[in-house]
Amino acid sequence: SVANHQAFTLTSSTEPLTIGRGGTWPKGINEVGMVSRSHAAIRFDQGQFLVEDLKSRNGTYLNGNLLKP
């Protein structure tokens, strides 16, 4: 896990939040060797959060379940 947790807000008008070594969020993710440059995206749509794997090399897990790219 990333040591320095950060809070953020997503709304229906917000662009998806991309998680990975290539972006600026979250700080400290570069220290995690199993994270791709563009690893996953989180967005808020129709009242729910959606997590999408962006074809990362090691996959993205949500609640212990591997997401399909």
Side-chain angles (χ1 to χ4, degrees):
S1 70
V2 178
N4 58 344
H5 301 280
Q6 296 180 15
F8 58 92
T9 302
L10 291 177
T11 65
S12 58
S13 62
T14 303
E15 291 293 316
L17 174 67
T18 301
I19 299 170
R21 293 182 290 113
T24 57
W25 190 92
K27 293 185 187 327
I29 202 80
N30 290 335
E31 300 165 11
V32 180
M34 296 180 65
V35 176
S36 299
R37 183 170 302 280
S38 184
H39 196 93
I42 303 172
R43 61 187 168 94
F44 188 76
D45 187 33
Q46 298 181 357
Q48 62 184 354
F49 287 99
L50 303 171
V51 180
E52 176 186 10
D53 178 73
L54 299 176
K55 299 180 182 175
S56 62
R57 177 174 289 186
N58 295 303
T60 299
Y61 290 80
L62 179 63
N63 298 327
N65 298 307
L66 180 63
L67 300 178
K68 293 180 181 179

